[in-house]
Amino acid sequence: MIKDNLEKIKSRINSVVHCQQVTLIAVSKTRSVSEIQSAVDAGQYNFGENYLQESLDKIEALKDKGLVWHFIGPIQSNKTLKIAENFDWVHSVDRLKIAIRLNEQRPQNLGQLNVLLQVNIDNESTKSGVLVSEIGQVVSQFSSFENICLRGFMCIPNPNNSANSFSLMSKIMTEHRNLDTLSMGMSADMESAINNGATFVRIGTDIFGERV
Ligand SMILES: *Cc1c(COP(=O)(O)O)cnc(C)c1O
């Protein structure tokens, strides 16, 4: 079933994608090692996790498989060390303090940690991320970091307005030509995100089924 779902998602991606490379991230929060293993067997190797403790157990259990792990959940500052030590990408850097800590704590032998700045694209009080008006100022601070590399942006738009939000993100990307990664689009709005230049889509339920 996981294999069939992955095939369906990939054909949805291929039916809208133009020039950019789109990478499917299977969001595996709350899923077991054996569910992840089924996805690996079907050729999936990028996984997204939200909760640090459960993710560490899974990363450890699957450490010989060559998987790419993305941290996509809210980050408290006391969690940055383990994130810096165990993940390949962090999508949810939502304030400078977190970037500073990740930069200090990233083990040098692992190479640079790829990070995305989370943008609160609809200016919602319930969501984290920098405001659109703050992006330029925050991005400029990243040039001093040696152990993390800012690759682009991530957003979780309000579902009622996501096409407009994706289009605004696309415009923001054109103002930052040195960045190459845009993480946006979930099961319901993936096509619209890809049309607006998403390079990572994050899909959980449509791959693994409803979370219980
Ligand atoms: C859970 C989650 C997803 C995937 O959501 P589904 O509804 O399971 O597809 C994507 N992005 C983030 C940030 C999430 O927390």
Side-chain angles (χ1 to χ4, degrees):
M1 189 192 80
I2 289 175
K3 185 171 193 289
D4 296 340
N5 291 344
L6 280 167
E7 295 300 322
K8 277 186 216 147
I9 297 280
K10 282 186 210 155
S11 61
R12 278 176 64 190
I13 292 174
N14 288 331
S15 68
V16 284
V17 73
H18 297 287
C19 306
Q20 82 266 38
Q21 189 90 25
V22 177
T23 299
L24 169 60
I25 299 178
V27 176
S28 48
K29 61 180 176 222
T30 77
R31 312 297 177 169
S32 66
V33 170
S34 72
E35 287 172 291
I36 297 173
Q37 183 63 55
S38 302
V40 175
D41 292 342
Q44 179 64 29
Y45 64 97
N46 281 272
F47 292 91
E49 288 281 340
N50 293 57
Y51 309 115
L52 183 63
Q53 193 51 55
E54 65 161 88
S55 72
L56 295 179
D57 297 341
K58 292 184 251 186
I59 291 170
E60 174 64 21
L62 295 158
K63 67 170 184 278
D64 299 326
K65 312 274 179 189
L67 305 181
V68 180
W69 293 96
H70 301 253
F71 195 84
I72 63 173
I75 306 178
Q76 297 157 272
S77 13
N78 64 352
K79 302 286 164 65
T80 51
L81 175 63
K82 289 290 178 194
I83 293 173
E85 288 176 341
N86 289 282
F87 282 81
D88 303 294
W89 286 81
V90 182
H91 296 215
S92 42
V93 174
D94 63 349
R95 53 199 192 277
L96 207 52
K97 181 182 178 194
I98 297 299
I100 291 168
R101 291 177 66 91
L102 290 171
N103 182 57
E104 281 168 2
Q105 294 168 335
R106 175 69 168 179
Q108 296 212 340
N109 64 314
L110 296 181
Q112 284 185 325
L113 176 65
N114 293 299
V115 302
L116 304 178
L117 188 61
Q118 183 170 348
V119 176
N120 187 348
I121 190 70
D122 297 310
N123 204 349
E124 293 176 283
S125 60
T126 53
K127 291 209 177 119
S128 42
V130 302
L131 299 176
V132 171
S133 59
E134 300 168 334
I135 292 175
Q137 153 70 13
V138 178
V139 165
S140 69
Q141 310 284 316
F142 278 75
S143 57
S144 62
F145 297 138
E146 292 187 345
N147 300 317
I148 64 176
C149 179
L150 180 67
R151 299 289 300 271
F153 303 110
M154 180 271 245
C155 70
I156 309 173
N158 185 311
N160 299 319
N161 184 40
S162 63
N164 286 329
S165 311
F166 291 151
S167 149
L168 179 54
M169 275 312 319
S170 157
K171 178 169 167 287
I172 293 166
M173 277 304 278
T174 65
E175 294 161 3
H176 296 272
R177 293 278 181 202
N178 55 329
L179 303 179
D180 62 8
T181 305
L182 190 50
S183 170
M184 62 187 194
M186 315 205 322
S187 305
D189 53 19
M190 186 179 82
E191 283 83 356
S192 161
I194 293 172
N195 280 327
N196 285 288
T199 60
F200 281 145
V201 292
R202 310 179 308 266
I203 311 290
T205 310
D206 278 9
I207 296 173
F208 295 107
E210 290 294 334
R211 278 182 294 275
V212 285

